[in-house]
Amino acid sequence: MTDDGRTGAGGARCRIDVGVDGGYEWRMVAQNGRVVAVSAGSHAEYGACLADFGEVCARAGELTGGVQHTPGGNGWMWVLRDAEGRTAVVSARAYERHSTCRAAYDRFRALLGELGGVTGSCP
């Protein structure tokens, strides 16, 4: 990772922000500025949020998931779950079409595979 928070994988980067509940949440931002994925939950501490993102990167090959209906049932989203079945990563938005959501899921999985082992600060 470079000093500006970019990785070697197409310029994608992680950003950690304070969410509406006051907790820390990470999001992965593509080189074009679009948010492609977000953490499934928030963390009380910045360090815990950073560690969560590091775990997602380190365990990318172990995460399972796929495309599913949104909770409201009016669109599609993708999710990744850890070995215990907990949701770890979700799509940044809902998609109107299953095929578009599936393509976004596949792109994220490829990007996540390139980011495996990322450590350091996410500005």
Side-chain angles (χ1 to χ4, degrees), residues 36 70 74-78 91-97 100-101 104:
V36 295
T70 60
N74 57 351
W76 299 92
M77 63 184 286
W78 56 260
S91 57
R93 66 179 186 93
Y95 296 86
E96 185 176 318
R97 296 187 177 120
T100 306
C101 187

Side-chain angles (χ1 to χ4, degrees), residues 48-70:
C49 187
L50 180 59
D52 179 50
F53 180 73
E55 281 292 309
V56 167
C57 291
R59 302 195 183 285
E62 301 170 19
L63 299 173
T64 60
V67 175
Q68 65 182 42
H69 279 288
T70 60

